[in-house]
Structures are given as structure tokens and as C-alpha cells.
Amino acid sequence: MKKFFMLIAMLIFCGMQASAGDIYVSADRGNDAADGSSNAPLLTISRALKQAREWRRLKSPEADGGIRIILDGGTYRHSAPIFVRPEDSGTVQSPTVICGANGGAKPVISGGMEVTGWKRGCDDSRLPAHVRNKVWVAEAPLLGNRIVETRQMYVDGVKARRASQFSDGVMERMKDFNAEDETITIPTPKFDLKSAKQLEMVVHQRWAIAILRVKSMTDDGNGNTVVRFHDPESRLEFAHPWPQPVIGGERGNSSFFLVNALELLDEPGEWYQDYPSGRIYYYPEDGKDMNTSHVVVPVTETILAVEGTRERTVGNIRFENVAFEHASWLRPSYEGHVTLQGGFRLIDAYKLAVPGLPEKAELENQAWIARPEAAVTVRHAHDIEFKGCTFRHIAATGLDYVTAVSNSEVSRCTFEDIGGTALQMGTFPDGGFETHVPYIPAVKQDICSDIMVKDNVIRDATNEDWGCVGIGAGYVRDVTIEGNEVSHVNYSGICVGWGWTALESGMRNNRIIGNHVHHFARQLYDAGGIYTLSNQPGSVIIGNRIDNLADAPYATNNRAFYIYFDEATDGFTVENNRCPNAEFGYNRPGPSLVVRNNGPQVKTDTGN
């Protein structure tokens, strides 16, 4: 009898472990014609989502207690986004969970393709002579019938550097910035670049960078070269007043470097893709045989899109123990990249001859912006969770809660090697909405709210667009950012707020608590370990630890702070934050900003 009851218990236990709502997927042994059981897994995530969708549509019993899409370890390559739609929604009692298998390697959802067929040596006369027998060459992969173009390449899990004028992290001071002629004058480069048709200039300008496609270079014979640029970025760069390069700053002129020419491929670890052939050149370190290396280029900018509408939202979807890798960012190759702040590119901007808007009498410029691309996007959704996930080798934004997202959570995730902002959320009014006008949505639910960002690790973000941030929140309310570690970013660490306005706009009750921000402002200033904008009643900044403010080598001023209350910050209580000093930055804060008991004497326990 005892054995009988043990057998019954084991059967019950096994039934609990292998729920009828489980769908198995394997990149190695799957088949989309299979039934999705553990012994006959599906091949693709999209097919698994479709099966789960059908269970819900038909009200099958498999959906009663929730549906789990269980991914074997391996790489799931996608050349187009995976879409999660309103029809995929779960319920509180029956969520949909996309997760890695227990005890296995973390599955990777990748937007990349491998580069193979490398050959050593190249006699192209554009290459510096001393590297021609060290450079390896491969044809770019084809996607459909098109050659893959890329601005990013990863060799054995490490991001390679595009061929550059200087060593990594090195820039040079410009000689002049002429807005009327739309030219920048620089010291004449030592490289002969007259045949470099894809050359770009990266410009350091206060709290942002610009990426400008070079149109022409004219040597004046006196050690100087005058550079002109293509439109639309030339018009934007020289018309917009904030931020522009500085000539004669406190710490010198603004800086630049040239990038993306075969002539500049002269150091190990650099690479270049030729246009229009697509051919890829790489100078490996330590004489590496490239045919033994794993080389990946990203082919899609968005890997996963959770897409609801205002009328029909997506809800109760959870991602656990999944990695998202290899998302692209190509737009600067087509139209340059001139930003206002935080990686938000300008689509138009100029200085007002007569200052003033009804909402802001002293405003002296106009700007219209567009949102950066992102590897994972969420729109019009609720209860969307990412737990224990990894975001790695992403060229622009990692994860973006774009608009009308509520009651959601990002916890215990790791973000590393992110080109732009690691985690972004909320409205940054774009398109036809002038960015200085306070955003008050016609539909109240359009503002992102009740989002928990907790216990995540963010490191080496902003490595493609230095002006992005670790965690960025625009117009949001009731958002909690707690217990995160944010480090090794080129601008600010945690940023909350937008609009540069003292007016009420719906931002309120935001909580920045117990985070550790360190090694920030490594390249750009006008920064803060924690940075705020505008009026946010009922908000707090409490118990954070902020240290290792970097000495950005090419900053033109010394405006970097452990906490920076930028224009019209108001409504915050700021206390018990530990940092080497409490000399914070203030830019016209409001009367309800309360700052007390901060500095080196404060003891905090952030768990990091």
C-alpha cells in the first residue's frame, strides 16, 4: 500500500512538472511541424506563439493555468522582429511565459548573422602598407537577395572597433566651427583620405555627439583642413543651437575623430565594411586565424516588439531567463545623427529670432525629435515583465517601454555592451510635437505608469552614442527605479523627466531609491549620476550611492555632478544619498525641491 501511494504521489508530481500548457522549442532539434512536446519541440518562437494563441482562441484546457513557451539553450536567429500581439495576451490567472529551460544554458534570441569564408591578405592600395598581409577579408552575408550592411561587428563575443583616425577613446580638438558656412576646420589628418567615400566625423558637443557624413575635405596648405558634410545632418548640425560644439571653452575647443575608411584601418581590433561591395575587412589581434573565430553582424534593429493598440492592449506576458543579442543601428549611414539630448535625434531645430512660446516665454529655440531604435519595444501594454533576462551586443536602445505601458516590471536583468540607452521608458514627445511644449496626453492612459525597475545590472552602455544614458525615463508617473547598479556610461546614469518645464504635465510620484551609480560621465559633461528635468510632484531620490565621477578628457567645461537638477526640477525630496560631496548641479529648480542630508557621511545599503 505504501508503494502504491508513493507511485500516485510521483505521478501527481510529474504531472505538475510537465504542465499541459507547456510548449517546447529547440533551435537545434526543433521542427515547426512537430507538436511542441518535450520530445518533439518546435523550431521557432513565432510558431510557439501561434500555438499558444490558438489555445487561447479556442479556449483549450491547456491555457487554463497559464502557458509556458520553454526554450532550449541555443541561438534563435531572426532577421525580422518577433511580434507579440493583443491576441497573445494572458490573464492574471493564466499568463504567457517565454522562458529558458530550467538548468540549461540561457537561450539567445539573436538578430544577427554569421560572417564566414575569411581570407588573409589584401593588396588594396587604400590600406596602409604595413597591415596588408595582416588584414582578413570576407564577403558580407546575404539576407534575401541583398547584401547585409552593418555598422557593428562582434568577434568572439567582443565588439570590434570601426576603422578610426585615432586609437580607441582618443580625439583631437577642432580649429573652428563655422555655422554660416556649415564647415568645421580641423588639423590636416596624416592619412590620405581623398578616396574615402564613406568617411564620417564624430563630433563631441557638450552633452551629446553628432555623427556627420563627410562630403568634402579641403586642405588649405597651412596644416588645416576644412570639412563639409551631407544633408540633412549638415543643416541640422549648424542650425540647432543646443548643443553645438564649443570654440574657446573653459577646457578648450570641442573635439572630433574621423571614422569609417579603409585608409584608417591600421590597428588590431579594427574593421571596415566597403560600400557598395559589402566586403568586410578585419585586422585581428594576436595574429588570430579568422576562420576559427565566431563573427556576427546584426541584421535587424528590433528583435522583439510587443505591440498593442490604444483600443486593444497586450497584457500578462512574462520573459524569464532569456538573452536578447545582436540588434543593429543603421540610420546614421543614411542620414547622419544629430541629437538634442539622450540620443533623441533632431528632425528639425533652429534658433528663434524672437524668443518665446505661450508655454515658455524665455524659450529661444525650437526642436522636433525622433525616438532612437530599440532591440525590444513595448507599446500599449500592461503587466509585461522581464525577469533574469540579458540584453547584450545591442547597437541602440536595449529595452524600451515606449508608450501606454503600465503595471510592468524589469528585474534582475543584465544589460551590457549597449550602444545607446540600456533601459528606456515613457514619452519623449516626437514627430510633430515640439519637444519644449509640456506633454499632456489627450488620453490619460498613454503616459507610462506603475513600472518597477529593480535589481538590474547595467554596464558598458552608451558605447555607440555617447549621449545616451543607463536608465532613461521621460514623461512617466508612479515609476520606481530601485536597487540597480549602473556603471561605465559616457553621459548620465539614471535620468528621469523631460520637457524643461515648471508646468504640471502628469509626471509625478517617481521614486529613485537605493541605486548604485558609478564610473559615469566618462566622455560628456553637463551630466549627473542621477539627472532630473521638470516638475514631478511627490517624487523622491533617496538612499542612492553615487561615486567615481569620471574626468571626461575632452569636455569643454566642468559641469558634471553626482546629482544634477536640470531645468525646472521640482517636486522631489532628495535625502540620504551617499556621494563624495553634495555639491549638486542646479538649473533654475522650483520651490518644492527639498534637498537634505546628502554626502560622504551618509550610510547606504544598496545591495550592490
Side-chain angles (χ1 to χ4, degrees), residues 185-200:
T185 301
I186 64 173
T188 297
K190 68 176 184 179
F191 299 90
D192 181 359
L193 297 170
K194 62 179 179 293
S195 300
K197 303 302 183 185
Q198 306 302 310
L199 188 66
E200 299 173 359

Side-chain angles (χ1 to χ4, degrees), residues 66-266:
I67 299 172
R68 292 193 307 166
I69 297 173
I70 302 170
L71 310 180
D72 276 356
T75 301
Y76 299 80
R77 297 198 183 280
H78 289 264
S79 58
I82 301 169
F83 284 100
V84 177
R85 303 177 173 91
E87 291 77 9
D88 298 309
S89 294
T91 65
V92 173
Q93 295 77 22
S94 174
T96 294
V97 181
I98 297 95
C99 59
N102 287 335
K106 183 175 288 187
V108 175
I109 304 175
S110 171
M113 293 181 69
E114 296 183 9
V115 181
T116 58
W118 292 91
K119 296 180 180 178
R120 181 173 181 170
C122 178
D123 60 2
D124 193 311
S125 61
R126 294 175 295 168
L127 270 170
H130 73 281
V131 304
R132 291 176 190 171
N133 66 337
K134 300 176 182 178
V135 166
W136 291 69
V137 185
E139 301 299 327
L142 292 175
L143 181 60
N145 59 0
R146 305 284 295 179
I147 295 171
V148 169
E149 291 183 49
T150 183
R151 297 174 63 87
Q152 301 82 32
M153 187 170 78
Y154 304 92
V155 180
D156 295 327
V158 177
K159 186 175 186 176
R161 292 182 289 110
R162 298 175 83 206
S164 177
Q165 180 183 8
F166 306 117
S167 298
D168 189 27
V170 176
M171 306 184 81
E172 188 171 26
R173 304 281 179 180
M174 60 180 62
K175 295 289 191 70
D176 189 38
F177 179 87
N178 190 316
E180 184 176 346
D181 292 342
E182 296 190 10
T183 61
I184 295 176
T185 301
I186 64 173
T188 297
K190 68 176 184 179
F191 299 90
D192 181 359
L193 297 170
K194 62 179 179 293
S195 300
K197 303 302 183 185
Q198 306 302 310
L199 188 66
E200 299 173 359
M201 179 184 285
V202 177
V203 178
H204 184 298
Q205 41 196 40
R206 307 187 192 210
W207 58 84
I209 64 166
I211 302 172
L212 311 174
R213 297 169 301 158
V214 173
K215 183 177 182 180
S216 69
M217 301 178 70
T218 304
D219 188 341
D220 71 359
N222 296 312
N224 301 315
T225 291
V226 179
V227 188
R228 289 177 167 81
F229 308 95
H230 291 285
D231 279 328
E233 65 265 39
S234 184
R235 174 183 59 83
L236 290 169
E237 173 68 3
F238 294 96
H240 83 291
W242 301 106
Q244 271 190 346
V246 173
I247 301 298
E250 301 167 29
R251 296 174 56 178
N253 296 347
S254 286
S255 302
F256 74 95
F257 63 91
L258 300 170
V259 68
N260 198 42
L262 191 57
E263 292 87 342
L264 302 176
L265 186 60
D266 65 340

Side-chain angles (χ1 to χ4, degrees), residues 359-426:
E359 300 84 359
K360 191 172 184 179
E362 72 277 18
L363 185 70
E364 40 71 63
N365 73 100
Q366 299 267 264
W368 293 263
I369 61 173
R371 199 176 188 101
E373 293 75 9
V376 177
T377 60
V378 183
R379 291 177 172 87
H380 293 285
H382 62 89
D383 296 282
I384 307 297
E385 299 181 356
F386 293 84
K387 295 187 173 183
C389 293
T390 300
F391 298 79
R392 181 186 292 119
H393 307 323
I394 306 298
T397 304
L399 169 60
D400 195 351
Y401 285 129
V402 180
T403 188
V405 182
S406 63
N407 298 306
S408 296
E409 181 175 331
V410 184
S411 60
R412 297 179 289 101
C413 292
T414 298
F415 298 78
E416 58 185 354
D417 186 10
I418 308 293
T421 294
L423 171 56
Q424 188 164 275
M425 55 188 152

Side-chain angles (χ1 to χ4, degrees), residues 490-510:
N490 289 310
Y491 178 50
S492 296
I494 298 172
C495 299
V496 178
W498 197 253
W500 296 268
T501 180
L503 301 177
E504 288 267 0
S505 61
M507 291 185 286
R508 60 177 55 249
N509 301 331
N510 298 313

